[in-house]
Amino acid sequence: MTNTPNSSLHFAGNFTQQEAIPDDAIQSAIQVMQSGRLHRYNVAQADELSETALLEVEYAQYQQSQFCLALASGGYALQTALRCLNVTHKEPILTNGFTLSPVPGAIAAVGGTPVLVETNEQLTIDLTHLEAQIKRSGSRILLLSHMRGHLADMDALCELLKKHNVKLIEDCAHTMGASFKGVKSGNHGDIACFSTQTYKHLNSGEGGFLTTNDEELMARAIILSGSYMLYERHAASPDAAVFEKVKLVTPNCSGRMDNLRAAILRPQLNLLDNNCKRWNERYRIFQQTLAQQSAITQPTAHEHAHSVHSSIQFSIPAFSPNDTAQFLQQCIQRGVELKWFGAAEPAAYTSRYDSWQYFESDELPNTRKTLSCLFDCRIPLTFSVEDCEQIALIINDVVASLLADAA
C-alpha cells in the first residue's frame, strides 16, 4: 500500500452502501413472512417464544445484561428509558452538547428540558462542566451519548454521578460491542439504549434495544412498549410478580419491534464481534494515514476504552470557514463524502447544538470551538482496508493543497 499523496487519486466507493443482509437472515425473514405472524405476540401457542422474544434473550446474553427489550427504534428506546424514570413536565435532563438530534429530541418527547453539557477535545462529556450543570440545574438524570463511539472515563463519570445521586441512561447507538475496562458499554448505568438502524452495528433498517439489570425498570419498559397484559411472553424479563406493581399505573406507548426485524437481526448478532474487528482494522489504517498530515489532529481514546470505530473523526484547526467550505467541496469532487459538525445550518444527519431551538440552552464555547473544525467520515464494511487508506490519502492531499495555496 502506498503512503504518498497523489492528486490524481479519486475514490469511487459509496459511503452509504452497507453490506448485504446475510443469507440466513434473509431466509429467516422469509419464514416469518410466510407464517404471517409478524406481530411479536402473534404465536401459534401461548408458551412459544417469538423471534422477537428469542432475540431479546440472545442480546441480553451478548450484552451480559439481565434483561432486554426489543423496540421500534433507538430513539424510542431513549424515550422509554426516560419514561421508566418518571420524567416530569419540564424536568431538567442532562445530556451532551455534542450528539445527534434524536437525543435531545427524546428528552423533549417525554416533556423534559435538555440541559446541555460541554464536550472536550476527545469528543467526550466534560466532567467539570457536568458537575457544574448538575449543581446548577438540580437534574437527577444524565442521558449520556457515547457520540460516534467515544467513551469517557466511565469510572470517573460514575463516581461523579453517584456523588450527586444522578441516574445514568447510556445512549449506546455507536458503542454496541465496545467496552471500558472489559465492561461492555451500556453496563455502567441504570439503563442502556441501542440502535439497529441501518448505519449502526446491526442493521434492521430501524430498531433498538433497551437493557437493564433493574427488574422494576424493565417491567415498566415492557408495559410502556405496548405489551398489554402479554408480558409473560417475554423471556429476558422479570418474574410476573414484578409486573403487578406497575401494570395498572404504566401507560401503553406502543413501540414494539416486530418478528420480521427480529428475524433479520438474530443471525447478524453472531457476526457482530467479528464485524467490530473489521471496523477497527479499517479505522486503524485510516487513522495512521491521516496522522501523516501534521495539520490534522485526532481525538485520543482513554487508555481503558475499547471502541468500535464504524466512523472516524478528525480536526483541522488551521482552517478558516472559507477553507472548510473548499475542503468539503474538493473532497466530494474526488469522491470523498465528509460531514462537518460545525456548520451553522443542519445538514443531513448533522446539526450543531444551537440549531435545536425548541429549548433554551447555555452557550457552550468549548463545544462550539471543538465542532468548528471537526469532520466525520463513515467507514462502512463495504470498504476494504485499501479503500480506507486511499480515502485518507485524498484527504491529506486536499489539506496539503489548501494550506499551500494559503501560504
Side-chain angles (χ1 to χ4, degrees):
M1 294 186 290
T2 179
N3 290 318
T4 304
N6 184 338
S7 59
S8 66
L9 284 177
H10 185 280
F11 185 66
N14 189 320
F15 285 79
T16 62
Q17 182 60 58
Q18 307 303 305
E19 290 191 305
I21 299 299
D23 287 343
D24 50 353
I26 292 172
Q27 290 304 312
S28 294
I30 290 172
Q31 290 173 13
V32 169
M33 288 187 286
Q34 288 174 336
S35 76
R37 297 183 181 274
L38 274 66
H39 191 278
R40 69 162 297 157
Y41 300 119
N42 184 358
V43 291
Q45 298 177 0
D47 60 350
E48 178 186 347
L49 289 182
S50 67
E51 286 288 323
T52 310
L54 289 169
L55 173 64
E56 290 167 343
V57 171
E58 291 161 0
Y59 193 75
Q61 292 172 346
Y62 175 83
Q63 180 61 21
Q64 299 170 356
S65 179
Q66 191 169 357
F67 307 121
C68 176
L69 175 64
L71 295 160
S73 72
Y76 184 85
L78 295 175
Q79 294 177 39
T80 302
L82 289 162
R83 288 192 176 101
C84 284
L85 295 177
N86 296 317
V87 172
T88 58
H89 184 56
K90 294 188 177 180
E91 180 178 351
I93 307 295
L94 298 152
T95 195
N96 311 52
F98 175 44
T99 187
L100 294 176
S101 58
V103 176
I107 296 171
V110 302
T113 300
V115 176
L116 301 183
V117 181
E118 287 273 27
T119 298
N120 58 36
E121 292 181 354
Q122 308 316 318
L123 306 184
T124 61
I125 196 164
D126 185 299
L127 298 187
T128 301
H129 191 240
L130 172 60
E131 185 164 31
Q133 291 291 67
I134 291 172
K135 293 176 179 178
R136 184 188 69 80
S137 68
S139 178
R140 64 185 180 92
I141 300 171
L142 169 63
L143 173 49
L144 175 69
S145 174
H146 297 303
M147 180 61 171
R148 283 303 194 252
H150 298 281
L151 290 165
D153 182 335
M154 296 305 296
D155 286 349
L157 174 69
C158 291
E159 182 178 348
L160 174 62
L161 297 183
K162 183 178 180 180
K163 173 184 173 183
H164 293 284
N165 196 29
V166 174
K167 297 285 188 181
L168 174 59
I169 300 171
E170 293 184 70
D171 169 22
C172 301
H174 301 156
T175 55
M176 182 184 287
S179 61
F180 186 88
K181 285 189 174 180
V183 177
K184 283 187 178 290
S185 180
N187 289 347
H188 293 89
D190 299 272
I191 308 175
C193 301
F194 301 83
S195 174
T196 61
Q197 187 249 30
T198 287
Y199 299 118
K200 304 305 189 296
H201 298 166
L202 297 176
N203 178 11
S204 59
E206 290 287 357
F209 298 113
L210 184 154
T211 63
T212 183
N213 292 326
D214 187 307
E215 60 182 16
E216 188 167 323
L217 289 179
M218 180 51 71
R220 290 179 193 168
I222 289 172
I223 298 292
L224 282 162
S225 74
S227 69
Y228 298 91
M229 295 299 118
L230 299 172
Y231 46 79
E232 291 188 66
R233 296 189 185 180
H234 290 250
S237 62
D239 293 336
V242 182
F243 290 87
E244 293 298 320
K245 304 175 186 178
V246 301
K247 69 181 185 182
L248 300 183
V249 293
T250 305
N252 179 326
C253 302
S254 296
R256 299 168 295 269
M257 181 180 284
D258 57 80
N259 286 331
L260 182 57
R261 279 185 281 186
I264 292 170
L265 288 170
R266 289 183 64 204
Q268 291 183 57
L269 187 54
N270 297 326
L271 305 174
L272 179 56
D273 283 340
N274 186 58
N275 283 345
C276 290
K277 293 177 183 178
R278 295 171 63 209
W279 268 306
N280 285 344
E281 288 170 356
R282 286 151 179 75
Y283 175 83
R284 278 193 293 272
I285 190 64
F286 211 138
Q287 181 188 49
Q288 292 165 7
T289 308
L290 288 181
Q292 297 169 15
Q293 170 51 257
S294 61
I296 292 176
T297 63
Q298 299 178 65
T300 303
H302 191 281
E303 62 177 329
H304 294 303
H306 175 73
S307 299
V308 179
H309 296 286
S310 53
S311 65
I312 189 168
Q313 293 71 48
F314 60 93
S315 299
I316 311 176
F319 273 4
S320 67
N322 183 59
D323 293 332
T324 294
Q326 291 188 58
F327 172 64
L328 293 169
Q329 181 181 25
Q330 290 186 28
C331 282
I332 199 67
Q333 287 172 350
R334 294 176 63 175
V336 174
E337 181 181 331
L338 302 176
K339 303 296 182 184
W340 176 40
F341 283 110
E345 291 293 323
Y349 297 104
T350 61
S351 55
R352 199 171 62 188
Y353 68 89
D354 54 345
S355 68
W356 307 327
Q357 296 182 7
Y358 50 87
F359 66 95
E360 293 184 12
S361 71
D362 297 334
E363 177 58 25
L364 303 175
N366 294 337
T367 300
R368 183 182 288 270
K369 180 181 178 182
T370 297
L371 300 186
S372 68
C373 55
L374 182 66
F375 301 94
D376 174 274
C377 185
R378 284 196 185 112
I379 309 177
L381 290 177
T382 48
F383 290 177
S384 66
V385 171
E386 291 76 16
D387 287 337
C388 292
E389 184 190 36
Q390 185 183 49
I391 294 165
L393 287 171
I394 291 171
I395 291 170
N396 287 353
D397 191 49
V398 173
V399 171
S401 176
L402 288 170
L403 291 178
D405 290 345

